[in-house]
Amino acid sequence: MEQTFLSWEIAPLTPLLQNHEVHIWCADLNIHDDLLQQMLDTLSHDEKERAARFVRDEDRLHFIAARSILRNILS
């Protein structure tokens, strides 16, 4: 099986979405503990409850990182 590596550009500070354009984002979900607490603070009550239901710590931490990053991109 051949491996293909994608080259990702650094995200612009103010991404502009043109008509008929799609942006695809890639983010590392392995975040340092100090930053994870800040990310958790950005989540809604429902998202925090959902995160608490994950059995595996890694899944819970990835959920927190992903939701926080998504909120940041959409804002």
Side-chain angles (χ1 to χ4, degrees):
M1 177 183 247
E2 185 180 323
Q3 281 188 316
T4 304
F5 294 96
L6 299 175
S7 175
W8 294 89
E9 294 180 15
I10 301 298
L13 292 177
T14 54
L16 298 175
L17 194 61
Q18 303 299 320
N19 288 338
H20 306 291
E21 186 176 67
V22 174
H23 289 188
I24 299 174
W25 294 72
C26 178
D28 184 358
L29 301 180
N30 296 310
I31 306 295
H32 190 272
D33 291 342
D34 295 339
L35 186 54
L36 270 170
Q37 183 56 51
Q38 291 175 3
M39 290 178 147
L40 182 61
D41 292 342
T42 69
L43 301 185
S44 70
H45 178 73
D46 290 342
E47 289 169 320
K48 290 176 184 177
E49 286 183 345
R50 185 172 169 195
R53 291 195 298 264
F54 282 93
V55 175
R56 293 181 53 220
D57 286 340
E58 181 180 29
D59 294 335
R60 181 172 35 312
L61 298 177
H62 283 176
F63 174 81
I64 292 167
R67 295 302 291 198
S68 179
I69 291 168
L70 177 61
R71 284 177 165 273
N72 189 311
I73 291 169
L74 294 176
S75 69

